[in-house]
Amino acid sequence: MKPKRADFLGAGIGYRRRYREALLRAAPTEGPEVLEILAEHFFADPAALEPLAARYPLVVHGLGLSVATATRGADLIGRSRLTSLRRLFDVARPALYSDHLALTRSAAGIDLGHLAPVWYTRPMLALVADRIRAWQDALAVPVALENIASPFVVGQADMTEAEFFCRLVERTGCSVLLDLTNLEVDALNHGFDPFE
């Protein structure tokens, strides 16, 4: 079952612990309209999100599902992370889940420690589309993928990054979280016009 796409939620900020008390004390007309939280910061204590979820619509941003990792056999790391996300979602009730169009671990489960670029090929598009559909089914919230800043381009490409994202949205109904800074960095690194 494909979840509904998220409507515009309003202007928001990324949650930081140092702002917690001010965010919880703010009158409804004073605070941001939405908060983005990093999933990994709350895996150990999902209950810490309860007061924030009661006050603000939340968007959960992840760093490690590694949408482009082709796995051999059971993806135990991915399944474990999805289980952690579902526990977090029970408390957060997020309007959207976002992660990066990137590799963050090897097929053997080794953490790369970095957001590595993907190959913009038809086989990679099929793999990522299958993974997005599985996330949407497992998490039951709309999913968005963010473009990364790529220090290099890997392998031969069948399409541009923009074409890859367009085809991915067409196939899955996911959204794009367009990071303008990452787009500008890539345009400078790889010599293309970011407005195109």
Side-chain angles (χ1 to χ4, degrees), residues 91-122:
V91 175
R93 299 175 309 280
L96 177 75
Y97 173 73
S98 62
D99 209 306
H100 302 90
L101 177 60
L103 292 155
T104 59
R105 67 176 182 280
S106 74
I110 298 169
D111 189 331
L112 302 177
H114 185 71
L115 298 172
V118 305
W119 294 259
Y120 299 121
T121 62
R122 286 182 290 282

mmCIF file of all heavy atoms in Angstrom, residues 91-122:
data_model
loop_
_atom_site.group_PDB
_atom_site.id
_atom_site.type_symbol
_atom_site.label_atom_id
_atom_site.label_comp_id
_atom_site.label_asym_id
_atom_site.label_seq_id
_atom_site.Cartn_x
_atom_site.Cartn_y
_atom_site.Cartn_z
ATOM 1 N N VAL A 91 5.834 6.761 18.142
ATOM 2 C CA VAL A 91 5.827 7.943 19.007
ATOM 3 C C VAL A 91 5.730 9.219 18.175
ATOM 4 O O VAL A 91 4.937 10.105 18.463
ATOM 5 C CB VAL A 91 7.102 7.984 19.890
ATOM 6 C CG1 VAL A 91 7.165 9.271 20.709
ATOM 7 C CG2 VAL A 91 7.168 6.765 20.797
ATOM 8 N N ALA A 92 6.548 9.316 17.134
ATOM 9 C CA ALA A 92 6.676 10.564 16.365
ATOM 10 C C ALA A 92 5.497 10.829 15.425
ATOM 11 O O ALA A 92 5.204 11.978 15.132
ATOM 12 C CB ALA A 92 7.970 10.534 15.557
ATOM 13 N N ARG A 93 4.857 9.795 14.937
ATOM 14 C CA ARG A 93 3.775 9.936 13.952
ATOM 15 C C ARG A 93 4.183 10.927 12.847
ATOM 16 O O ARG A 93 3.513 11.926 12.613
ATOM 17 C CB ARG A 93 2.471 10.360 14.624
ATOM 18 C CG ARG A 93 1.962 9.370 15.657
ATOM 19 C CD ARG A 93 0.738 9.855 16.415
ATOM 20 N NE ARG A 93 0.821 11.174 16.993
ATOM 21 C CZ ARG A 93 1.436 11.477 18.140
ATOM 22 N NH1 ARG A 93 2.023 10.543 18.839
ATOM 23 N NH2 ARG A 93 1.448 12.713 18.595
ATOM 24 N N PRO A 94 5.305 10.661 12.155
ATOM 25 C CA PRO A 94 5.817 11.639 11.196
ATOM 26 C C PRO A 94 4.941 11.791 9.961
ATOM 27 O O PRO A 94 4.262 10.853 9.538
ATOM 28 C CB PRO A 94 7.188 11.065 10.820
ATOM 29 C CG PRO A 94 7.026 9.598 10.976
ATOM 30 C CD PRO A 94 6.107 9.433 12.166
ATOM 31 N N ALA A 95 5.005 12.970 9.399
ATOM 32 C CA ALA A 95 4.300 13.247 8.155
ATOM 33 C C ALA A 95 5.095 12.751 6.959
ATOM 34 O O ALA A 95 4.548 12.562 5.879
ATOM 35 C CB ALA A 95 4.063 14.750 8.031
ATOM 36 N N LEU A 96 6.412 12.530 7.156
ATOM 37 C CA LEU A 96 7.299 12.182 6.048
ATOM 38 C C LEU A 96 8.553 11.541 6.610
ATOM 39 O O LEU A 96 9.010 11.907 7.696
ATOM 40 C CB LEU A 96 7.665 13.464 5.282
ATOM 41 C CG LEU A 96 8.638 13.370 4.120
ATOM 42 C CD1 LEU A 96 7.951 12.743 2.906
ATOM 43 C CD2 LEU A 96 9.163 14.746 3.762
ATOM 44 N N TYR A 97 9.115 10.597 5.860
ATOM 45 C CA TYR A 97 10.441 10.054 6.170
ATOM 46 C C TYR A 97 11.348 10.379 4.996
ATOM 47 O O TYR A 97 10.988 10.145 3.837
ATOM 48 C CB TYR A 97 10.410 8.535 6.379
ATOM 49 C CG TYR A 97 11.809 7.973 6.531
ATOM 50 C CD1 TYR A 97 12.525 8.193 7.703
ATOM 51 C CD2 TYR A 97 12.429 7.301 5.491
ATOM 52 C CE1 TYR A 97 13.824 7.731 7.838
ATOM 53 C CE2 TYR A 97 13.726 6.834 5.615
ATOM 54 C CZ TYR A 97 14.410 7.055 6.787
ATOM 55 O OH TYR A 97 15.708 6.606 6.926
ATOM 56 N N SER A 98 12.534 10.913 5.272
ATOM 57 C CA SER A 98 13.488 11.194 4.202
ATOM 58 C C SER A 98 14.832 10.555 4.517
ATOM 59 O O SER A 98 15.185 10.330 5.677
ATOM 60 C CB SER A 98 13.654 12.701 3.996
ATOM 61 O OG SER A 98 14.176 13.316 5.151
ATOM 62 N N ASP A 99 15.548 10.240 3.470
ATOM 63 C CA ASP A 99 16.902 9.694 3.568
ATOM 64 C C ASP A 99 17.631 10.150 2.319
ATOM 65 O O ASP A 99 17.092 10.947 1.551
ATOM 66 C CB ASP A 99 16.859 8.161 3.684
ATOM 67 C CG ASP A 99 18.048 7.596 4.470
ATOM 68 O OD1 ASP A 99 19.201 7.919 4.102
ATOM 69 O OD2 ASP A 99 17.829 6.834 5.418
ATOM 70 N N HIS A 100 18.835 9.656 2.106
ATOM 71 C CA HIS A 100 19.662 10.114 0.992
ATOM 72 C C HIS A 100 19.696 9.101 -0.139
ATOM 73 O O HIS A 100 19.695 7.899 0.112
ATOM 74 C CB HIS A 100 21.100 10.346 1.477
ATOM 75 C CG HIS A 100 21.180 11.325 2.591
ATOM 76 N ND1 HIS A 100 21.102 10.947 3.917
ATOM 77 C CD2 HIS A 100 21.291 12.664 2.582
ATOM 78 C CE1 HIS A 100 21.174 12.024 4.675
ATOM 79 N NE2 HIS A 100 21.280 13.080 3.892
ATOM 80 N N LEU A 101 19.760 9.586 -1.368
ATOM 81 C CA LEU A 101 20.024 8.731 -2.505
ATOM 82 C C LEU A 101 21.529 8.479 -2.487
ATOM 83 O O LEU A 101 22.316 9.250 -3.038
ATOM 84 C CB LEU A 101 19.595 9.390 -3.821
ATOM 85 C CG LEU A 101 19.900 8.571 -5.072
ATOM 86 C CD1 LEU A 101 19.186 7.223 -5.040
ATOM 87 C CD2 LEU A 101 19.531 9.344 -6.323
ATOM 88 N N ALA A 102 21.914 7.413 -1.780
ATOM 89 C CA ALA A 102 23.334 7.169 -1.554
ATOM 90 C C ALA A 102 23.564 5.742 -1.085
ATOM 91 O O ALA A 102 22.643 5.040 -0.685
ATOM 92 C CB ALA A 102 23.864 8.133 -0.484
ATOM 93 N N LEU A 103 24.835 5.370 -1.128
ATOM 94 C CA LEU A 103 25.314 4.158 -0.471
ATOM 95 C C LEU A 103 25.922 4.593 0.855
ATOM 96 O O LEU A 103 26.719 5.541 0.898
ATOM 97 C CB LEU A 103 26.414 3.497 -1.304
ATOM 98 C CG LEU A 103 26.005 2.906 -2.631
ATOM 99 C CD1 LEU A 103 27.185 2.855 -3.579
ATOM 100 C CD2 LEU A 103 25.432 1.517 -2.418
ATOM 101 N N THR A 104 25.568 3.928 1.940
ATOM 102 C CA THR A 104 26.211 4.223 3.224
ATOM 103 C C THR A 104 26.850 2.982 3.824
ATOM 104 O O THR A 104 27.516 3.059 4.842
ATOM 105 C CB THR A 104 25.210 4.812 4.235
ATOM 106 O OG1 THR A 104 24.151 3.876 4.447
ATOM 107 C CG2 THR A 104 24.664 6.141 3.754
ATOM 108 N N ARG A 105 26.624 1.823 3.176
ATOM 109 C CA ARG A 105 27.280 0.599 3.633
ATOM 110 C C ARG A 105 27.455 -0.347 2.451
ATOM 111 O O ARG A 105 26.763 -0.247 1.446
ATOM 112 C CB ARG A 105 26.521 -0.067 4.770
ATOM 113 C CG ARG A 105 25.185 -0.624 4.422
ATOM 114 C CD ARG A 105 24.545 -1.357 5.614
ATOM 115 N NE ARG A 105 23.287 -1.912 5.239
ATOM 116 C CZ ARG A 105 22.135 -1.249 5.155
ATOM 117 N NH1 ARG A 105 22.105 0.024 5.452
ATOM 118 N NH2 ARG A 105 21.044 -1.842 4.776
ATOM 119 N N SER A 106 28.380 -1.288 2.623
ATOM 120 C CA SER A 106 28.634 -2.286 1.590
ATOM 121 C C SER A 106 27.576 -3.372 1.646
ATOM 122 O O SER A 106 26.803 -3.468 2.603
ATOM 123 C CB SER A 106 30.021 -2.902 1.794
ATOM 124 O OG SER A 106 29.988 -3.780 2.913
ATOM 125 N N ALA A 107 27.570 -4.240 0.638
ATOM 126 C CA ALA A 107 26.634 -5.369 0.614
ATOM 127 C C ALA A 107 26.862 -6.293 1.801
ATOM 128 O O ALA A 107 25.947 -6.964 2.266
ATOM 129 C CB ALA A 107 26.774 -6.136 -0.693
ATOM 130 N N ALA A 108 28.090 -6.319 2.339
ATOM 131 C CA ALA A 108 28.402 -7.154 3.496
ATOM 132 C C ALA A 108 28.022 -6.487 4.814
ATOM 133 O O ALA A 108 28.208 -7.060 5.880
ATOM 134 C CB ALA A 108 29.892 -7.489 3.497
ATOM 135 N N GLY A 109 27.503 -5.240 4.746
ATOM 136 C CA GLY A 109 27.067 -4.560 5.959
ATOM 137 C C GLY A 109 28.104 -3.635 6.571
ATOM 138 O O GLY A 109 27.888 -3.082 7.646
ATOM 139 N N ILE A 110 29.231 -3.430 5.915
ATOM 140 C CA ILE A 110 30.285 -2.553 6.446
ATOM 141 C C ILE A 110 29.875 -1.101 6.237
ATOM 142 O O ILE A 110 29.568 -0.680 5.116
ATOM 143 C CB ILE A 110 31.630 -2.834 5.764
ATOM 144 C CG1 ILE A 110 32.054 -4.271 6.051
ATOM 145 C CG2 ILE A 110 32.690 -1.842 6.225
ATOM 146 C CD1 ILE A 110 33.217 -4.740 5.215
ATOM 147 N N ASP A 111 29.868 -0.325 7.317
ATOM 148 C CA ASP A 111 29.514 1.091 7.258
ATOM 149 C C ASP A 111 30.622 1.858 6.543
ATOM 150 O O ASP A 111 31.789 1.771 6.916
ATOM 151 C CB ASP A 111 29.321 1.632 8.676
ATOM 152 C CG ASP A 111 28.743 3.026 8.706
ATOM 153 O OD1 ASP A 111 28.975 3.807 7.760
ATOM 154 O OD2 ASP A 111 28.052 3.349 9.683
ATOM 155 N N LEU A 112 30.270 2.602 5.494
ATOM 156 C CA LEU A 112 31.252 3.360 4.733
ATOM 157 C C LEU A 112 31.685 4.640 5.434
ATOM 158 O O LEU A 112 32.697 5.225 5.092
ATOM 159 C CB LEU A 112 30.693 3.698 3.351
ATOM 160 C CG LEU A 112 30.260 2.522 2.481
ATOM 161 C CD1 LEU A 112 29.661 3.023 1.172
ATOM 162 C CD2 LEU A 112 31.408 1.577 2.223
ATOM 163 N N GLY A 113 30.871 5.124 6.384
ATOM 164 C CA GLY A 113 31.207 6.357 7.095
ATOM 165 C C GLY A 113 31.043 7.597 6.243
ATOM 166 O O GLY A 113 31.552 8.661 6.574
ATOM 167 N N HIS A 114 30.326 7.465 5.139
ATOM 168 C CA HIS A 114 30.181 8.585 4.211
ATOM 169 C C HIS A 114 28.970 8.324 3.315
ATOM 170 O O HIS A 114 28.580 7.174 3.114
ATOM 171 C CB HIS A 114 31.445 8.702 3.352
ATOM 172 C CG HIS A 114 31.456 9.884 2.435
ATOM 173 N ND1 HIS A 114 31.605 11.170 2.890
ATOM 174 C CD2 HIS A 114 31.314 9.976 1.099
ATOM 175 C CE1 HIS A 114 31.566 12.001 1.859
ATOM 176 N NE2 HIS A 114 31.386 11.295 0.773
ATOM 177 N N LEU A 115 28.389 9.368 2.781
ATOM 178 C CA LEU A 115 27.338 9.234 1.778
ATOM 179 C C LEU A 115 28.010 9.122 0.416
ATOM 180 O O LEU A 115 28.529 10.102 -0.109
ATOM 181 C CB LEU A 115 26.407 10.448 1.794
ATOM 182 C CG LEU A 115 25.628 10.708 3.085
ATOM 183 C CD1 LEU A 115 24.913 12.053 3.011
ATOM 184 C CD2 LEU A 115 24.642 9.588 3.343
ATOM 185 N N ALA A 116 28.053 7.915 -0.136
ATOM 186 C CA ALA A 116 28.719 7.689 -1.419
ATOM 187 C C ALA A 116 27.695 7.757 -2.557
ATOM 188 O O ALA A 116 26.564 7.309 -2.407
ATOM 189 C CB ALA A 116 29.414 6.332 -1.412
ATOM 190 N N PRO A 117 28.116 8.302 -3.707
ATOM 191 C CA PRO A 117 27.192 8.438 -4.837
ATOM 192 C C PRO A 117 26.819 7.085 -5.438
ATOM 193 O O PRO A 117 27.525 6.096 -5.261
ATOM 194 C CB PRO A 117 27.974 9.294 -5.838
ATOM 195 C CG PRO A 117 29.397 9.117 -5.479
ATOM 196 C CD PRO A 117 29.442 8.847 -4.003
ATOM 197 N N VAL A 118 25.726 7.090 -6.165
ATOM 198 C CA VAL A 118 25.238 5.877 -6.827
ATOM 199 C C VAL A 118 25.493 5.966 -8.327
ATOM 200 O O VAL A 118 25.762 7.043 -8.856
ATOM 201 C CB VAL A 118 23.729 5.650 -6.558
ATOM 202 C CG1 VAL A 118 23.436 5.614 -5.075
ATOM 203 C CG2 VAL A 118 22.868 6.691 -7.247
ATOM 204 N N TRP A 119 25.373 4.839 -9.013
ATOM 205 C CA TRP A 119 25.455 4.777 -10.459
ATOM 206 C C TRP A 119 24.080 5.135 -11.003
ATOM 207 O O TRP A 119 23.079 4.556 -10.585
ATOM 208 C CB TRP A 119 25.814 3.361 -10.913
ATOM 209 C CG TRP A 119 27.180 2.898 -10.529
ATOM 210 C CD1 TRP A 119 28.277 2.851 -11.340
ATOM 211 C CD2 TRP A 119 27.604 2.388 -9.260
ATOM 212 N NE1 TRP A 119 29.356 2.346 -10.649
ATOM 213 C CE2 TRP A 119 28.966 2.061 -9.357
ATOM 214 C CE3 TRP A 119 26.971 2.189 -8.024
ATOM 215 C CZ2 TRP A 119 29.701 1.541 -8.303
ATOM 216 C CZ3 TRP A 119 27.705 1.673 -6.966
ATOM 217 C CH2 TRP A 119 29.045 1.359 -7.118
ATOM 218 N N TYR A 120 24.019 6.052 -11.941
ATOM 219 C CA TYR A 120 22.740 6.443 -12.548
ATOM 220 C C TYR A 120 22.466 5.551 -13.758
ATOM 221 O O TYR A 120 22.538 5.976 -14.911
ATOM 222 C CB TYR A 120 22.733 7.930 -12.895
ATOM 223 C CG TYR A 120 22.911 8.795 -11.668
ATOM 224 C CD1 TYR A 120 23.969 9.682 -11.557
ATOM 225 C CD2 TYR A 120 22.026 8.677 -10.600
ATOM 226 C CE1 TYR A 120 24.130 10.448 -10.416
ATOM 227 C CE2 TYR A 120 22.191 9.441 -9.453
ATOM 228 C CZ TYR A 120 23.249 10.312 -9.369
ATOM 229 O OH TYR A 120 23.414 11.066 -8.228
ATOM 230 N N THR A 121 22.160 4.295 -13.453
ATOM 231 C CA THR A 121 21.922 3.279 -14.476
ATOM 232 C C THR A 121 20.522 2.692 -14.296
ATOM 233 O O THR A 121 19.906 2.823 -13.242
ATOM 234 C CB THR A 121 22.951 2.140 -14.366
ATOM 235 O OG1 THR A 121 22.795 1.512 -13.087
ATOM 236 C CG2 THR A 121 24.382 2.667 -14.521
ATOM 237 N N ARG A 122 20.051 2.004 -15.340
ATOM 238 C CA ARG A 122 18.744 1.346 -15.257
ATOM 239 C C ARG A 122 18.700 0.270 -14.165
ATOM 240 O O ARG A 122 17.726 0.206 -13.416
ATOM 241 C CB ARG A 122 18.344 0.804 -16.626
ATOM 242 C CG ARG A 122 17.905 1.916 -17.593
ATOM 243 C CD ARG A 122 17.451 1.382 -18.937
ATOM 244 N NE ARG A 122 18.540 0.832 -19.744
ATOM 245 C CZ ARG A 122 19.412 1.562 -20.444
ATOM 246 N NH1 ARG A 122 19.295 2.877 -20.465
ATOM 247 N NH2 ARG A 122 20.358 0.993 -21.143
#
